[in-house]
Amino acid sequence: MADARGTPDWRFRLRATAQRKQFNAGALLIWCAIGVAGAKVGLDVLVAVLQALRLPVHMNARSSMPGVPALGLVLGGLLVSAALTGWLWMGFRFARFLVRPVIGEDQVAMDSKGVTWRQWRGPWSEVHHLPYSDVAAFPEPVGSVTALLHTGKIVELASVGELEHEALWKRLCGLSELGVTPKVLTDCVPEGREAIALPGGGVVLRREWDGGIERAWALGGVVFLLLASAAVVMWRQGIDGSTVEGPLFAVALVGLAGWVGLKAWPSFQARREWEIRPGVLDKLRYRSGWPVRVSHRVKSLEVRQDETGELGTPEWVYFSLFLNTSKGAVRLERGSTSAQYIHHLGQWLAHRLKVPLKVLAS
């Protein structure tokens, strides 16, 4: 794994325990049986609907589903297609979660300069290398061993072999001389965020966003299905006889397809951003491509701690980040159970806003 980078000081090969493999294998067999049975029922219904729509005969002359109007068949086909797609997507995701510990393993090698890892899922698995200079911290492992980069991105190094996670994490912290939080909070983008420099100075902070490529493909499939359904409705009009409902339904499908198509376009996808300049924070909310801007002149930032809980139940501690402005306090980040995350976000923003950060308890 380390080839051109020299011999690593430490190697870890992480695998699931035999008990975990047996449990996941049994659960996988049961899940696959349920998934195939459910998919077969959905496919049988969808095929029957498509066959009834395909026949170029009047609806009362059909041998299957006679008397059912084309609008009802098209609407039923859309509902079955949506249910079947959701069933297959959920089934595939859960099956992949179950199969990973059964056939997969994680290989990690490290030295004093960086870490190299491979999450083995077959011969197509890639080897990745990460120098410690790109890493801000190694958070405590909770289900997986991860690295927090200076950009705010989280990189997963290992997820199987839970028993070895603690030892791997401690060795990474020792060799890299890094801890669970960044040494300088203001130099590292908060976890799960990304920062983009503005041309005229300042920075934009937003949730980590990849442009929604997968979402765009999914919505594109919905657009195709809606347009095909509208075409089928109009085609059946010439066979079953023209009605007022048919063209109206087709127009509604085309309009819905256009709306979904806009949502699939990256520039029209809804998102929230903060534009940060010294003393000024602008909240931007993009919906349907047009931003709604709310500007705040910030005097200071404030971390507040709240405790909530019903009678007889343990209290939960939440942390929120507020902006103190000339018009009063404005909640910027709603309650989080992670004090470290809220403090990190507050320090990072205060440094760029050039305002003080206060920490208050309830």
Side-chain angles (χ1 to χ4, degrees):
M1 290 178 59
D3 50 16
R5 301 180 183 92
T7 304
D9 296 335
W10 292 87
R11 291 179 183 270
F12 284 82
R13 193 172 184 177
L14 301 94
R15 297 175 177 174
T17 62
Q19 292 82 358
R20 175 70 182 276
K21 288 183 177 182
Q22 292 172 1
F23 175 82
N24 277 37
L28 182 63
L29 289 176
I30 297 173
W31 181 253
C32 287
I34 296 173
V36 170
K40 184 179 184 305
V41 172
L43 284 173
D44 288 344
V45 174
L46 185 60
V47 169
V49 170
L50 293 177
Q51 287 179 341
L53 287 170
R54 181 180 60 86
L55 294 174
V57 296
H58 195 275
M59 61 181 181
N60 293 323
R62 292 195 302 256
S63 58
S64 61
M65 302 182 186
V68 180
L71 295 185
L73 288 176
V74 170
L75 184 59
L78 286 173
L79 294 176
V80 172
S81 299
L84 184 60
T85 301
W87 177 265
L88 293 174
W89 179 83
M90 181 183 67
F92 175 76
R93 297 271 296 187
F94 191 61
R96 188 173 65 173
F97 168 77
L98 290 174
V99 78
R100 171 92 168 95
V102 177
I103 66 172
E105 71 173 38
D106 292 333
Q107 302 169 5
V108 184
M110 67 197 81
D111 54 24
S112 59
K113 295 183 179 179
V115 57
T116 303
W117 75 97
R118 177 186 183 187
Q119 293 182 319
W120 193 87
R121 296 182 179 88
W124 54 84
S125 302
E126 296 183 5
V127 177
H128 305 274
H129 179 74
L130 182 65
Y132 295 138
S133 58
D134 293 344
V135 181
F138 288 104
E140 290 191 42
V142 180
S144 62
V145 180
T146 59
L148 172 62
L149 306 187
H150 289 290
T151 59
K153 185 179 180 180
I154 290 287
V155 176
E156 184 182 78
L157 305 178
S159 61
V160 298
E162 292 87 348
L163 299 179
E164 293 87 359
H165 286 180
E166 187 76 14
L168 172 59
W169 170 68
K170 289 182 178 179
R171 184 55 56 188
L172 283 168
C173 291
L175 286 175
S176 64
E177 299 181 353
L178 297 171
V180 296
T181 57
K183 293 181 178 179
V184 183
L185 294 178
T186 56
D187 291 344
C188 174
V189 179
E191 177 184 341
R193 308 266 183 167
E194 61 179 0
I196 303 171
L198 291 171
V203 65
V204 171
L205 185 69
R206 67 187 184 189
R207 298 282 181 184
E208 192 174 350
W209 186 63
D210 59 2
I213 301 301
E214 294 183 1
R215 181 172 181 263
W217 275 104
L219 293 178
V222 173
V223 170
F224 173 79
L225 184 61
L226 291 173
L227 293 178
S229 299
V232 169
V233 169
M234 295 306 297
W235 176 64
R236 293 297 310 186
Q237 288 286 294
I239 299 173
D240 299 331
S242 298
T243 62
V244 176
E245 295 85 357
L248 289 178
F249 187 57
V251 170
L253 289 176
V254 172
L256 183 59
W259 180 78
V260 174
L262 285 179
K263 291 293 184 181
W265 197 259
S267 60
F268 281 85
Q269 293 182 20
R271 64 185 187 274
R272 299 171 185 265
E273 299 177 350
W274 299 336
E275 285 190 5
I276 303 152
R277 297 178 178 85
V280 179
L281 186 145
D282 290 349
K283 289 182 177 181
L284 278 80
R285 184 180 182 183
Y286 289 85
R287 298 190 66 179
S288 301
W290 291 277
V292 177
R293 181 186 296 266
V294 179
S295 183
H296 299 282
R297 292 199 170 273
V298 185
K299 295 181 177 180
S300 65
L301 292 174
E302 189 175 290
V303 174
R304 297 183 185 178
Q305 174 183 326
D306 299 314
E307 295 181 359
T308 60
E310 296 180 359
L311 185 62
T313 61
E315 291 184 337
W316 292 88
V317 179
Y318 294 91
F319 301 88
S320 301
L321 184 62
F322 284 80
L323 303 175
N324 287 325
T325 70
S326 57
K327 298 181 180 179
V330 177
R331 189 193 297 267
L332 183 64
E333 185 75 1
R334 291 195 174 273
S336 170
T337 56
S338 174
Q340 290 181 348
Y341 171 76
I342 290 295
H343 287 145
H344 185 180
L345 179 62
Q347 292 278 5
W348 193 90
L349 289 172
H351 178 72
R352 283 150 185 82
L353 288 167
K354 300 188 184 303
V355 297
L357 174 67
K358 304 175 184 178
V359 179
L360 298 180
S362 61

